[in-house]
Every structure is written in structure tokens, then in C-alpha cells.
Amino acid sequence: MAEVITIRPFTAAAFNQYLAEHKLMTVKCTKCGGVYAPPRAICPKCHSEEMEWVEASGKGKLAGFTVIYSGPTFMVEQGFDKKNPYVSGIVELEEGTFISARITGLDISKPVEVKVGTPLMVDFVEFGEGEAKKTYLAFKA
Amino acid sequence: MPKVKSLPRGVAMVGAGMSKFGAFAEKNSRDLFVESYKAMTKSVDKGFDPSRIDAMYIGNFSSDQFEHQAHLAPILADSVGLLPIPATRVEDACASGGVALRQGVMAIASGMADVVLVGGAEKMTALNTAAVTEALATAADVPFEIPAGFTFPGFYAAMASAYMAQYGMKSEHLMNVAIKNHDNAALNPNAQFGVTIQTWMEGRVAAALKKGKPAPTWSTIWDFLHDEGGNPTIAYPLRLFDCSPVSDGAAAVLLVAEEIAHEFTDHPIHIIGSAQSSGSALHDRPSLTSIPAAKTAAANAYEMAGVTAKDIRIAEVHDCFTIAEVIASEDLGFFAPGEGFKAAEDGMTARNGAKPINTSGGLKAKGHPVGASGVAQAVEVWKQMQGQAEARQVDGDVNLALTHNVGATGSTCTVHVFERRN
Ligand SMILES: [Zn+2]
């Protein structure tokens, strides 16, 4: 049976639903071609309301990063602490827009050697079971 | 971009005061605000009748989260005996105080009020550090930034990493900002950490010896600042001494219409530029090494005031993290992009430098009760412009000063320009 295609609203919930399906979706303005992630219902460049979801290629590069030794409670619950720090970063997507994501696969024993500009590929990190399962946007070095 | 309009009516600051900043288990935001109000009333040269106050604006980020107390403005108005005047709380994260100041300016400039009390208050230390971190994180673009694991030190650390990559700065360079701001705070009796880093380090050694523990072997503050034991990494590349503290505190200033300022003082401080600008989440910007809202607010404030960056004698800027002061000094046009960290290293931003920044000790060392910070910046400007900054008084004529107050990573920025004419 053919998949029923419905246009999802340009909301955080829809963005997260796509993430759960392991898709990083951008929103494109059909009038001026502006591409955005996270989603927007109104184009900030030309104010058009004619937007569409477009899947990102998944390629990007590291624009800025941090190694966090003391994270929020939900990150602590996921096993991160001073001895097991994690990386948060800003990723420049191939499409030219930027997004916040977890960064995996970097050697952070010497953070000073991590290079801004490192090529990255989209990844999806899951945590929790059943109803509580949540998918987080990540990029892998 | 909206056209910059000149103020239709002049506005002057005729009094300013603050509570001590710190961690006060026995004081809530109301108690701290009362302290700042009393300090403000004492600073008004000719005294004044509080019943002349027409309205009050309060900068407060989140008494809801920090104290489980919302609807703060009328409570604060009542606490200083100002009922039934309209009292309004404004919230733009850590820029709440600067935005409250601007609301006060607009109320007078519009003619709707002649005398306005502007305050800022935040009581943060009732929560533990983890809970404070999470409360502050609500100032981010929560659904899109927080799942990435970002904290506020993390956001500014990411900006620092991009700045280091672009301009060849090393994280050590940021320590110059912390050292300077602690040097200034050591001369500010209201500062939360009113000690130099040297004194701090010596205190740590003395405490270890007293406990019979082996004393750390730091011989200079640079040893101390490079040591994970003295200065632990919080969010690489930022360490403890790159971060402003969790603070309790309040500040208050009295604004009046220019034509009645002489009834309060013979030395009013005129607010000649007032601008506010909004920006996106950090990831939605073309560059991580500058804050667009700060550049826009600065340009608009300079245009309104008819001055340039070069004319500004001193500035209180939003150094929630050391990298934020470096970026601010560039966004405000004091130094070229990529030059701010060198200016800090060369002492240009020190009290006796060409462009003194954060003579109060800044958010870093004076303390950062978030909603109060933007108003407390105006208090420092007041003291410096009146020649009342005591041991930290800047030499020469401080006739033009600026304050720069940022919310979150720069989603809000206010810039104010102050002038003393006699
Ligand atoms: Zn468009």
C-alpha cells in the first residue's frame, strides 16, 4: 500500500518526529529558496508562508564546539559527567544553514587539537525505552 | 531595520544605587531591592519626594524559577512604599535590566511619566548549581538548542572555539579579562568577589595549610589559572575563572525628564542613546564570533546619541563569560574584529588604559544576579561620571559612558549612552 503523504506542520514536534524516523529535515522557502533548520513557518528573508520540508544531505562541518564536563540533568542521566564529558556543537550544513547538535566520534582527550571545520555526517542518538524513547540529533566526525 | 528616532524628550539619571552582590541565605529579591532603593535615594543630591515617582520598571529574569515567586513588580513597588503606581516586570533573560532601563527612558521620553524608578533584582542562590544551570538554560531556544546538551557556559565556549579558530587566540588570552575584572572588583565594596586572583590563590593555599593538606605549588596566578585544581575546565575552552558567578543582588536608578532634573541634582547624567535589538538562536547566525544584535544596538545607540565608539570614555559590557567581553569590545566598535583579545592583553581595557572596560569588576567579579546586571551597569557609570568611584575611579573627565547588556547568547542586546555636561 502506498504511503499516505501528509504535509507536516513546520513545528518542533514535526521536526522531532522526523528525527525519530532518522531524517534531518530542513524547511525551504518555495518563493526565495531560503533553507532553514530548525523549521520555520514563515520565511525570515521574504516573509513568504509557502514553505516545504526538504531532507538535508546530512553532510556538514563543525562551526564551533565545546566539551562539557558538567551537563544538565538529562545528560547526566544519559551517563555523562566530569569523567565522561560530551561535545555539543554548531554544525554548518552543506545546504548553508546551521544547527545545534551533539557531536560524536571526536578524540576529546586533547580538546585543543579538535579542529573547527572538521567534516561531519548526520547521526541519530537514541535514549530511553518504549514511550520514553527520544531521538537526538547528532553529527559524527 | 527600523529607523533610529531621536528621543522626543530628554531623559536624565539623577540617582543610582545597588545592594551588595553575593550569596545571601537570609535575603530574598525584595530585601535586596529595598537595599538598592535606599542606596539610590541617598545618591540623589537634593533629595526627593518618593510620591513624585510615576512608574516603575523592574528587570527580573526568573523569580518564578529561582524563588517560586512570580508577579514581582507590584511586590517590589509595595516593599519601598510606592503603591499604587504602575509597576511592570520586564524579562529578556540576562538583558532584563537593560530592557527595563530602556522602558523607563521611553516612558519619560513619551511624556507619559516625568519620574521613573528603574530596578533590577535577582535572587539565584536559593537553588543549587545544577538547578540554576537548568533555570538559566530556559533562556535558550529550548526545543532546538537544549537537546544538543548545550549549557550557557557551553554556548559561549562554542563561540570561543570559533573565535580561536578564526583569529588565532589561545584560551590563555581570556585569562587577561578575568585578571583585570578581579583587579577592578577588589576596589568595589559591592562586588561579590572583591579580591584579586592573587589574593584568591593565596587564600586557597592558606586554607589547604590550615587543614593540614599539602599546599598547592602555584607560584604565580598563571600557574593557578592553568591548573585544573585551581581553575577547572567547565566547558572547554572555558574554565571556572572565565565564568561569572551565581549571584543575589539588586540595583536601582532614578530617571527624570531633563527639564526637571535640576530639582534633583546639579549634576544629572543624560541618557542620550538608548537602543535594543533582537537576534536569533546562536546556530542561526552567519558567524559565531560576533553578536549581530549587539552591533545593531550599538550602531543605533551611537546614531541616536550622535557619538562614535571612539568618543566613549568607559564602558560596562556584558562579560557573563570572558569571551563575551572580548566579543563585546569588538561589536561595540572599540577594537577591530580579532583585536579585542589583544587589547585586553595589552592593558588597553584596564582602568588606566585607553578604553577602560568593566571598572566595576564586571559580571565576572562584581557578580551577575541576571535581572539586576543591566541596571547595575548604569550604577557604575553613574559613580564614575560623578567622580564617586573611590579607589577604582578612572582618571580624567568621564563625560561619555556606555552600557551593553546581553540576553542569552545575544538574542537580546541593549546599549545605552550616558553623557555628563557639567
Ligand atoms: Zn523566502
Side-chain angles (χ1 to χ4, degrees), chain B residues 183 195-203 219-221 224:
Chain B
D183 284 352
V195 290
T196 64
I197 292 180
Q198 177 76 32
T199 306
W200 186 300
M201 178 183 84
E202 288 164 5
S219 54
T220 69
I221 57 171
F224 170 75

Side-chain angles (χ1 to χ4, degrees), chain A residues 11-12 15-16 37-40 63-75 82 86-90 97-102 111-112 116 134 136, chain B residues 130 133-134 141 143-151 153-155 157-159 161-162 164-165 228 232-237 280 282-288:
Chain A
T11 59
F15 179 81
N16 286 334
R40 294 169 173 278
F65 75 98
T66 177
V67 184
I68 296 185
Y69 295 83
S70 172
T73 308
F74 76 94
M75 291 302 286
K82 208 168 171 50
Y86 63 92
V87 181
S88 298
I90 310 281
T97 188
F98 295 77
I99 197 158
S100 299
R102 299 188 189 188
V112 72
V116 165
K134 206 175 161 199
Y136 295 89
Chain B
T133 303
E134 283 180 37
D141 180 355
F144 299 109
E145 294 187 312
I146 296 306
F150 271 117
T151 56
F155 285 126
M159 293 163 86
S161 77
M164 289 159 70
E228 278 291 322
T233 303
I234 303 295
Y236 173 87
S280 68
L282 183 61
H283 58 230
D284 248 347
R285 298 181 199 162
S287 161
L288 301 179

Side-chain angles (χ1 to χ4, degrees), chain A residues 29 31-34 36 43 45-48:
Chain A
C29 171
K31 289 276 184 297
C32 76
Y36 309 102
C43 177
K45 286 195 188 116
C46 75
H47 306 288
S48 161

